[in-house]
Amino acid sequence: MSISELVIGSSKPKRSAAGGRLGLIFDLMRFALHDGPGIRTTVFLKGCSLRCWWCHNPESQLTEPEIFQFDDRCTLCGDCIDVCPAGALRIENGVLATDPALCQASGECVEACAVEARKMAGRWMTVDEVLAEVSRDQILYDESGGGVTLSGGEPLMQAAFTERLLAALKRRRIHTVLETCGLANPKLLRRISPNVDLFHYDLKLMDTAKHEYYTGVKNELILANLKLLADLGRPIVVRMPIIPGINDAEDDIAAASAYLQELGVGNVDLLPYHRIGGDKYRRLHREYRLPDLVPPSAEGMERLAARLRGEGFTVRVGGIS
Ligand code: SF4
Ligand code: SF4
């Protein structure tokens, strides 16, 4: 199944964040096995302030609902064109075309399409609605030592909602993992940290100029926040995406290793670059900046893991960066 187009959502979503009472959820994945201990449900929150060149989820970056279009399902019946209040749709050169300047991501076309060729990416949910979904598997969490992982995008982009959700999960005694890039208000991090059982903390590049070049932001606040959590004694697994030619040079690894040793953070996940996201960019008519990058070999990843183990780290290889 191909996703042929993703239409940028409008500045006028049906519902707003309502002061943190609503969160924009991109996906809810049950039975997740790689997002923390045990069997988990992963809640993907939409929006991220970084633009990493290797991001495999470009549809998770914007803080607005968006519409996916699956050309291979579309029969060109025109039903969606008839119901679109914005006049954003037309058939052009044998495919359904959307004018992103007109589309408001209101979703009538999604409702009208009998073959599910259009799909809403991002739905506004209350904390109670998320709790109702994730609580379906509470027995599995209890039996496996699992729980709920908040991922993204960047969950802390929706700070008020994430804070409410974490507190509600803890009231239900559900184990929580927060996956974060670390670009957040330190006061917020300090406040939420008692309700986070485990931080999955991204460490992409130690050199701030390179960090800014490849992600769009400098890394001083990210590194300071990692130190803050380490000083608070919070459980942390540092997740390092390994992007050949970008952050896998000896200097990059040595600097990361030295910083983590200084902080006393001993658990590291190495996440090899993969090409899963490349097609999405093309289908979204966005530029993918690493079209020819070859993923690292399994042997290369193991060499890197062995090197870090030799420096005292507990290292796992794998997962999705
Ligand atoms: S309603 Fe569905 S199948 Fe019909 S034109 Fe629109 S997207 Fe295609
Ligand atoms: S119905 Fe709404 S979501 Fe669908 S194309 Fe029109 S404005 Fe966009």
Side-chain angles (χ1 to χ4, degrees), residues 69 73-81 91 96 109 112-118:
Q69 182 180 318
R73 289 184 188 171
C74 178
T75 61
L76 301 179
C77 70
D79 289 353
C80 55
I81 299 175
I91 293 173
L96 183 71
C109 56
C113 181
V115 296
E116 298 185 348
R118 290 176 73 82

Side-chain angles (χ1 to χ4, degrees), residues 28-30 41 43 123 125-138 141 148 172:
L28 261 162
M29 188 171 71
R30 298 171 69 193
T41 298
V43 181
R123 58 181 163 139
M125 297 178 75
T126 65
V127 166
D128 285 345
E129 285 169 342
V130 175
L131 279 181
E133 287 278 328
V134 303
S135 296
R136 295 161 66 190
D137 294 324
Q138 190 145 6
Y141 309 151
V148 171
R172 294 208 174 190

Side-chain angles (χ1 to χ4, degrees), residues 208-209 217-225 259:
T208 194
V217 301
K218 294 181 185 296
N219 69 3
E220 285 86 352
L221 178 59
I222 291 168
L223 296 181
N225 279 336
Y259 192 63

